[in-house]
Amino acid sequence: MSLLSQKEELSNTNLEQLFANDKHRFANMHMQVNGLLMDYSKQLLTTDTIKLLIDEANKVALKGKIADLFSGAIVNHTEQRPALHTELRNPETNNQSILRVLDQMESFVIKAVNQYTDVIVLGIGGSDLGPHLVCEALSNYAVNTIKLHFVANVDPDTLAPLLQQLDPKKTLCIINSKTFTTIETLTNAKYVREWLKNDQLVGVTANKDAAITWGIQPDNIFEFWDWVGGRFSVWSAVGLPIALSIGMDNFRRFLSGAHAMDKHFNTASFAENMPVLMALLGIWNINYLNHKTLAIIPYADGLQLLAPYLQQLEMESNGKASNQQTAPIIWGGVGCNAQHAYMQLLHQGTQVVPIDFLVAAKSSNDMQELQDLLVASCIGQSQALMQGRSTFEEYKNCPGNRPSTTLMFAEMTPEILGNIIALYEHKVYVQGILWGIESFDQWGVQLGKELIKSTLQVMQTDDYAELDSSTVGLLKSYKDFLSVSDATKS
Ligand code: F6P
């Protein structure tokens, strides 16, 4: 029996049939860890398929690779670094610099929440998406009235109105940048630096010298380290905006949730290991069933940034060359909205899109009719996608047999969110190992960064030599449009 023969066998049946044949399919194909339930019975595979996938994990010595991650071995080979984000959330860490920064965050939060009404958080990619997602998802846990304003993009139509609206005397600005060289973040920061006093600027960075040279006061710098990847940095002082909003105690609860998932990942057998199984389901869908995308559909408005967050986590980590298909295209958005927008394609379109659904049983607000409708919609979608529908009117037919995984939990808490994010982080690590790629670097992004600089230079010098006609045409059109609109104004 091989995975290819499994594929062949499963092509003669479908999910509805698999459920009809095995009344215990849900019982056999769901698990619960730290209050997080994962139902993967609606994935097109059997327990035999899972055993074969686990054999593949054993062939690449996954157990040892997991131990390497936690022990601080070099797992980022192109940059010769460990990836120790798990240590940031280890309550028993004896790493003095981690403990020092947590203390620094604690005292800073106490002071800042009384001093400021607003915080502008500048940062992009991992320096934005993590804290932004967590602040939105845990807005019900906000203990401080301080208002957070995340600015990632370099769009003047975002920053200018924000500065007009806020009071510079009562506003703090956090600049989240691991490298402190990111042009988007530093260009936004330049405008904010002109607008408020230097002692209201805070830097969170692994490049302390650059931050000081740029103008941040040394006491206002929160350090993190080159062994924390940007997209894994929400557990570090990059999470300072989270602590300002929900308080340090809740931030520590968030860390402890992730740590609980770490312990599970590091100790559970593969057959009972949630991140390993999630990774293997992905490998099955991508490399055997040829599904090239994965939709993330949480039934919670607070998780609307989960899809963008996972886009970076998965696509920046595992969007790498290999002799086989690697990271899927991650996309998605919140249900029920998704149902009334693009889920038509998921039901009847020509591409099969595996889905991760997420839903909480309880809301923190007492409107049970809304909550029942939300949960029923989530469960109903996965059922409809699995079963499909056949009628005499062909245009109403839905083929069904469309796979999904559902993550369900009692309610959104800091611990559960920590668990969910750590689950996906470890899934990404396992998939990277199976594909034989470097999950912790992002050299592809460098090309884009270099091209921005050279394009800006051409804009300033008008030296178009050696550029292709489209790039020249667009740059010249930009200048033409600018001069036409200037002329209209004058
Ligand atoms: O360009 C990609 C990237 O390096 C991400 O990996 C990172 O999260 C983001 O840019 C921001 O980088 P920094 O924190 O150094 O400003």
Side-chain angles (χ1 to χ4, degrees), residues 124-127 176-182 185 224 230-231 312 316 442 445-446 449:
I124 197 161
S127 292
N176 268 343
S177 178
K178 178 178 173 182
T179 56
F180 224 85
T181 57
T182 303
T185 302
F224 72 110
R231 53 194 173 275
Q312 185 194 15
E316 196 166 83
Q442 59 283 321
V445 186
Q446 297 310 321
K449 286 190 182 174

Side-chain angles (χ1 to χ4, degrees), residues 422-433:
L423 165 67
Y424 278 96
E425 283 180 351
H426 296 322
K427 167 204 158 178
V428 163
Y429 180 64
V430 171
Q431 291 187 334
I433 298 293

Side-chain angles (χ1 to χ4, degrees), residues 2-202:
S2 71
L3 283 164
L4 287 174
S5 66
Q6 278 286 296
K7 179 183 169 178
E8 185 63 34
E9 213 173 286
L10 287 161
S11 68
N12 298 320
T13 181
N14 61 31
L15 277 167
E16 198 180 11
Q17 199 55 53
L18 292 173
F19 273 98
N21 294 349
D22 177 7
K23 294 282 170 247
H24 303 292
R25 190 171 165 87
F26 173 76
N28 294 333
M29 300 179 89
H30 85 278
M31 63 187 307
Q32 198 168 327
V33 171
N34 306 326
L36 188 60
L37 180 148
M38 180 169 91
D39 170 22
Y40 54 99
S41 58
K42 292 195 184 96
Q43 293 287 348
L44 187 58
L45 39 63
T46 65
T47 44
D48 285 341
T49 326
I50 291 174
K51 284 191 195 120
L52 290 166
L53 287 163
I54 289 176
D55 290 346
E56 296 300 305
N58 286 326
K59 279 187 209 151
V60 296
L62 180 63
K63 193 82 204 146
K65 299 279 174 30
I66 294 175
D68 287 349
L69 180 72
F70 286 96
S71 70
I74 303 281
V75 290
N76 174 349
H77 300 97
T78 63
E79 294 171 312
Q80 280 296 299
R81 289 173 190 162
L84 270 172
H85 43 284
T86 52
E87 196 58 23
L88 298 169
R89 55 215 192 195
N90 176 4
E92 277 149 31
T93 185
N94 50 23
N95 180 317
Q96 293 307 307
S97 54
I98 294 178
L99 294 169
R100 198 183 54 241
V101 173
L102 282 169
D103 283 348
Q104 190 191 357
M105 287 170 74
E106 186 130 37
S107 5
F108 184 82
V109 168
I110 296 169
K111 216 174 50 184
V113 292
N114 292 319
Q115 218 173 333
Y116 302 106
T117 56
D118 294 87
V119 186
I120 300 175
V121 186
L122 303 180
I124 197 161
S127 292
D128 164 65
L129 287 163
H132 202 168
L133 162 70
V134 176
C135 286
E136 285 196 3
L138 298 180
S139 61
N140 283 325
Y141 283 81
V143 289
N144 299 315
T145 51
I146 202 157
K147 280 203 237 51
L148 301 170
H149 309 272
F150 288 89
V151 180
N153 202 2
V154 279
D155 186 341
D157 293 343
T158 300
L159 190 59
L162 182 64
L163 298 186
Q164 269 157 27
Q165 168 206 326
L166 300 180
D167 177 353
K169 289 197 202 70
K170 293 194 182 138
T171 303
L172 175 77
C173 176
I174 300 177
I175 303 165
N176 268 343
S177 178
K178 178 178 173 182
T179 56
F180 224 85
T181 57
T182 303
I183 192 165
E184 293 88 346
T185 302
L186 292 184
T187 310
N188 276 325
K190 224 160 66 180
Y191 282 93
V192 181
R193 185 175 58 185
E194 281 164 18
W195 180 77
L196 43 62
K197 290 213 197 103
N198 261 29
D199 63 358
Q200 290 160 252
L201 293 168
V202 164

Side-chain angles (χ1 to χ4, degrees), residues 28 52 73 93 118 125 154 177 236 254 270 272 276 291 301 339 344 354 364 395 408 457 463:
N28 294 333
L52 290 166
T93 185
D118 294 87
V154 279
S177 178
S236 72
F254 170 62
F270 290 168
E272 283 159 8
V276 170
H291 303 323
D301 286 351
Q339 288 165 218
Q344 161 64 33
S364 38
Y395 61 92
M408 190 184 275
Q457 205 177 349
D463 178 2

